[in-house]
Structures are given as structure tokens and as C-alpha cells.
Amino acid sequence: MANIIVTGGAGFIGANFVHHWNKVSPHDSIVVLDLLTYAGNKHNLDGLDDVLLVEGDICDTDLVSKIIADNEIDTIVHFAAESHVDRSITGPDAFVTTNVIGTHSLLKAAKKAWLDSGTGKPHRFHHVSTDEVYGSLGPNDSAFSETTPYAPNSPYSASKAASDHLVRAYHHTYGLETTTSNCSNNYGPFQFPEKLIPLFTLNALNGKPLPIYGDGLNVRDWLHVEDHCRGIEVCLRKGAAGEVYNIGGGQELPNLTVIDEICRAVDSAFAADATLADRFPDAPAANGRRSEELKTFVTDRKGHDRRYAIDEAKARDELGYIPARDFKQGFAETLNWFLSREDWWRPLLERAAITR
């Protein structure tokens, strides 16, 4: 039985992980530490009555230390981060504070509890990072591996790179039992609608433009969030201390291909279910038109990385990680979730004007 802190556990990936871990290890104790900023939502944890939610800041080292002591924590799974590249371009300070200082705060509290006390208690600090720390690939470059040199190109990816280095340093300097996973682009339930897939899905349902950066040919490796959670699980159970594992979805696709699949799937859903036209009367598909009519090309964002791709051979060979979904299947599940959870996303759209 483990006692776990999940930082950022009311956010997109963190909440999915809490649901996943609660299902596969129901006897473990889970504490979620989340500041509940715009992207955190306590309702993401609905149905998990045995999970303790603490509203607080990972930068508050004393609070983290108290949670570790009071709950006899032996595992930290660290998701909490500012993660939207566009926001990092206009407001980088928050990214440095949360992603760098916040990670260091957690590491200090973990070191104090697990090493400085001299108990030698078995422990694990798992740090969730991103493939964006590796920079941008050319069309014929090999996919990112764990030995790819870091070359972050945005304030977001630079802040995540710094946090990765801090985790590495605390293992090599102090002996803290750490693992790090660098994932590709996630999608799935509970994703805040500022990222491409939920934004474009909801815009298609509500008849709003689908704003495509540049030529739309930027390439990403797409990873369903449940596959990501499985990857983190095997890192925790089988990963060697001090190691880094890349977790990918094996679905390297241009943005235009992803957008075309969103449009196709939405149109097919309306064709199969006549009630959707009444629920979403502004959707082109509700009026016999095609969602692709909403596609609009806009000015590319600053420093837009051209291509990411993940080589997950190490995680596959050493941990047995294999993604279970291709993009078509994964997005079909995601679309069904958004269609069935209007109660979740409608209040978000009503609270703020969400832009890409």
C-alpha cells in the first residue's frame, strides 16, 4: 500500500491519473494538492470520495512538508505546471514560478522528509515533463530519445527543462529516488478547452471558427491521456531510480490531419444521432453542412516548433509500455466524452471567452 501526493491532480492529466490509480490500486491513499487555478477543477475528481483534495500551492514548501508528514507520504507524482505555450509567450513569469520554483519546493520537501530524517524510507518522486524540452525536429530527423540534447524554444519548454534538470540534480547529488517521464501531446477527458483538440471540437459543435496556425502542417505525436497514465504507472512500478522515460502515442500527425479527423468525426456523429442538431443548432453539421467550413488560417504563433516525435523504445523495452489506441479510436472516445459531458465544459465557456 502506497501513500501518494498527486500535484496538479485536479487538472487535465493529473485528474485522469488520479482516476486511473484509484482504479488499479484502490487500497492506496491519494492526496491531491492543487491550487485550483483556471485549469484546475475540483469537479474533475467527482466520484472519488476517498481522495483528499488540498487546495494549496506547490511553492509553499511548509505546506508540502506538512502533507508529507501528516499522511506518511512515500510517493509524489508531480503534474502541477503551467503548460500552455501561448500563455507562456505573453506571461512567462508564472511559468518560471510554478514550473521551476514550484518543482524545487517539492524536491526540498521530499528531501527533508525522506533523506534528511535518516529513516531511509523507500520513496519515489516522479516528475511529469514534456517532449517540448527537446526542441523542434526537421522532417527527416530521428524522433526524440532520452539522450536527445535539450533545446527548448518557448518560455514554457524552457521552464520545464529547468525543472527536469533540478529533478536530475536531486537524484545525483542527494540520492533522492526520482524518475522523469517526457510525454508527447495529450488529449482526452477533462482537457481544458484552450488546447487544440478540445477547442476545435467545441468550436465545431458551436459553429465557431477553427483557427489554424500558419500552414497547419506542424507535426505532433498524439497520446491519449489514459495511455499516458498507463505509462506513468509502469514508470512508478518498474522504472529505475534516476532514469528518464519517453512516453509517446505513436501517432505522429500534422495538425491539419488532426483537424480534418475532428471535422469528420463531428459530422459523422450528427449523421448518426438526430438529437445533436437540437442540442447544437449552430453547428454546420446541424444544418446539413460540413464542419470543415469553419477552418480559418491565422498568423502563426511566435517560435512555433515544426515537429515533435517520440521514440518510446526505452519505455517499451524496459517497462513494457505500449500505447493502446491509435488517434482515430482515441479521438472517437474523446468526442463521445465531450458530447456526454456538456455539464462539464459548458460552464467553462460561459465563464470566460476562451481563445487559442
Side-chain angles (χ1 to χ4, degrees), residues 231-249:
I232 295 170
E233 179 191 354
V234 294
C235 285
L236 289 168
R237 298 193 190 281
K238 301 179 182 179
E243 289 298 318
V244 175
Y245 300 94
N246 282 352
I247 306 296

Side-chain angles (χ1 to χ4, degrees), residues 155-281:
Y156 161 60
S157 57
S159 68
K160 290 298 289 185
S163 66
D164 292 6
H165 292 320
L166 283 169
V167 173
R168 173 185 169 86
Y170 265 70
H171 171 72
H172 284 275
T173 301
Y174 304 114
L176 194 70
E177 300 275 316
T178 67
T179 43
T180 295
S181 56
N182 294 81
C183 69
S184 54
N185 278 38
N186 279 227
Y187 67 98
F190 301 122
Q191 188 169 27
F192 191 79
E194 65 184 355
K195 301 295 179 75
L196 188 152
I197 287 178
L199 176 66
F200 279 46
T201 300
L202 299 185
N203 280 10
L205 293 177
N206 291 293
K208 295 183 177 180
L210 308 181
I212 304 168
Y213 281 141
D215 60 8
L217 296 180
N218 299 74
V219 174
R220 299 295 183 262
D221 176 5
W222 291 96
L223 171 65
H224 191 280
V225 67
E226 291 184 11
D227 284 335
H228 186 194
C229 291
R230 290 176 45 250
I232 295 170
E233 179 191 354
V234 294
C235 285
L236 289 168
R237 298 193 190 281
K238 301 179 182 179
E243 289 298 318
V244 175
Y245 300 94
N246 282 352
I247 306 296
Q251 301 293 295
E252 189 180 341
L253 301 169
N255 286 345
L256 272 179
T257 300
V258 171
I259 295 163
D260 287 343
E261 178 58 24
I262 293 172
C263 293
R264 185 206 65 77
V266 168
D267 292 349
S268 295
F270 275 74
D273 183 353
T275 68
L276 293 179
D278 293 329
R279 290 174 56 195
F280 306 106

Side-chain angles (χ1 to χ4, degrees), residues 32-314:
V32 168
L33 175 59
D34 199 297
L35 192 55
L36 296 179
T37 60
Y38 78 95
N41 187 340
K42 63 182 180 181
H43 294 298
N44 293 353
L45 302 172
D46 285 352
L48 298 173
D49 297 334
D50 52 347
V51 171
L52 174 63
L53 172 61
V54 177
E55 184 176 353
D57 193 338
I58 59 172
C59 293
D60 187 343
T61 309
D62 290 339
L63 173 63
V64 176
S65 294
K66 186 175 188 305
I67 295 171
I68 293 174
D70 290 351
N71 297 276
E72 299 182 343
I73 297 296
D74 52 48
T75 305
I76 295 175
V77 186
H78 176 33
F79 292 94
E82 295 285 347
S83 66
H84 192 41
V85 173
D86 288 10
R87 289 177 182 267
S88 82
I89 293 170
T90 57
D93 288 5
F95 288 73
V96 174
T97 298
T98 300
N99 299 353
V100 183
I101 298 173
T103 298
H104 190 223
S105 170
L106 292 168
L107 289 165
K108 288 190 295 182
K111 174 179 174 288
K112 177 182 176 182
W114 297 335
L115 301 180
D116 295 349
S117 66
T119 63
K121 181 178 182 178
H123 61 270
R124 177 59 60 90
F125 186 110
H126 182 78
H127 175 58
V128 181
S129 190
T130 172
D131 58 359
E132 297 189 41
V133 299
Y134 299 123
S136 183
L137 292 169
N140 299 314
D141 290 341
S142 299
F144 299 133
S145 73
E146 291 80 0
T147 60
T148 300
Y150 276 30
N153 291 320
S154 70
Y156 161 60
S157 57
S159 68
K160 290 298 289 185
S163 66
D164 292 6
H165 292 320
L166 283 169
V167 173
R168 173 185 169 86
Y170 265 70
H171 171 72
H172 284 275
T173 301
Y174 304 114
L176 194 70
E177 300 275 316
T178 67
T179 43
T180 295
S181 56
N182 294 81
C183 69
S184 54
N185 278 38
N186 279 227
Y187 67 98
F190 301 122
Q191 188 169 27
F192 191 79
E194 65 184 355
K195 301 295 179 75
L196 188 152
I197 287 178
L199 176 66
F200 279 46
T201 300
L202 299 185
N203 280 10
L205 293 177
N206 291 293
K208 295 183 177 180
L210 308 181
I212 304 168
Y213 281 141
D215 60 8
L217 296 180
N218 299 74
V219 174
R220 299 295 183 262
D221 176 5
W222 291 96
L223 171 65
H224 191 280
V225 67
E226 291 184 11
D227 284 335
H228 186 194
C229 291
R230 290 176 45 250
I232 295 170
E233 179 191 354
V234 294
C235 285
L236 289 168
R237 298 193 190 281
K238 301 179 182 179
E243 289 298 318
V244 175
Y245 300 94
N246 282 352
I247 306 296
Q251 301 293 295
E252 189 180 341
L253 301 169
N255 286 345
L256 272 179
T257 300
V258 171
I259 295 163
D260 287 343
E261 178 58 24
I262 293 172
C263 293
R264 185 206 65 77
V266 168
D267 292 349
S268 295
F270 275 74
D273 183 353
T275 68
L276 293 179
D278 293 329
R279 290 174 56 195
F280 306 106
D282 295 325
N287 300 287
R289 306 198 315 274
R290 301 175 70 177
S291 298
E292 66 178 12
E293 297 175 14
L294 299 170
K295 292 196 295 187
T296 305
F297 288 87
V298 299
T299 302
D300 207 355
R301 75 178 176 206
K302 296 178 180 179
H304 198 180
D305 289 341
R306 191 62 171 174
R307 172 178 169 242
Y308 305 147
I310 283 280
D311 177 357
E312 74 272 9
K314 180 178 178 180

